[in-house]
Amino acid sequence: MKYWIFFVIVISLSSCFDSNINTLEHERVKFKNLPNEVIHYLRNPDDYHDGILYMLIELPKGKKNNYRLETVKTWIGPWESHKKLINIKTNVYYKIDQGVPRPYIVFENNLYVPDRYNIFTTVDDLNSLEFIRYELK
């Protein structure tokens, strides 16, 4: 019985330091209403890095990184459970469920997530994109 109490306490404490991005305040934003820095990145991704397969982009370019992204594996098998967006300074992390399109763009304490996959390879008109903007606390 005391092991169950210990287990419940550990789970409770660990959940205090994370939150799922879906629980954060968020809104849908059309491409034309994104901040200029985000628009510039989306139109010119090669200006920021050699490949376009990066999962986490922090803007503006050259800024010291405040976040890192980790993959959390499932308990069994080689599968991915979810991603963790971790604030390096505060060690607070945000859970990003599997199946959320990327890249994850962080700008001014906001996380921008596209509404579909492969935006650099399958989208002809960037103006048709929408993003979800999450306010990172």
Side-chain angles (χ1 to χ4, degrees):
M1 179 66 176
K2 63 181 169 182
Y3 292 113
W4 276 105
I5 294 171
F6 177 75
F7 180 73
V8 169
I9 290 171
V10 168
I11 296 297
S12 300
L13 288 176
S14 68
S15 65
C16 293
F17 299 108
D18 75 323
S19 59
N20 191 303
I21 61 168
N22 295 327
T23 64
L24 299 174
E25 197 169 314
H26 61 279
E27 68 177 329
R28 289 184 89 64
V29 180
K30 294 189 182 292
F31 179 83
K32 66 180 180 178
N33 296 328
L34 291 171
N36 289 332
E37 290 84 352
V38 176
I39 290 174
H40 185 269
Y41 163 71
L42 294 168
R43 286 192 173 143
N44 308 292
D46 291 336
D47 289 354
Y48 292 84
H49 46 74
D50 295 333
I52 57 174
L53 298 177
Y54 279 69
M55 293 194 301
L56 176 63
I57 303 297
E58 280 193 68
L59 300 174
K61 181 181 177 180
K63 174 183 167 269
K64 184 178 177 185
N65 289 347
N66 292 324
Y67 293 90
R68 75 177 189 273
L69 195 64
E70 289 183 4
T71 299
V72 177
K73 304 265 185 197
T74 57
W75 288 14
I76 57 170
W79 303 286
E80 177 182 311
S81 172
H82 61 276
K83 300 256 189 251
K84 286 192 328 188
L85 178 65
I86 303 169
N87 184 318
I88 296 169
K89 293 180 181 177
T90 63
N91 213 27
V92 171
Y93 71 87
Y94 305 94
K95 178 182 174 186
I96 302 174
D97 292 327
Q98 185 177 4
V100 174
R102 47 186 183 255
Y104 310 126
I105 303 169
V106 176
F107 178 68
E108 294 183 347
N109 290 324
N110 290 302
L111 172 65
Y112 295 89
V113 177
D115 65 344
R116 61 192 93 160
Y117 289 99
N118 305 322
I119 61 173
F120 296 115
T121 57
T122 61
V123 175
D124 294 329
D125 181 19
L126 291 176
N127 292 316
S128 68
L129 288 175
E130 285 190 3
F131 285 75
I132 300 174
R133 182 182 70 204
Y134 298 93
E135 292 184 28
L136 302 175
K137 299 175 185 178

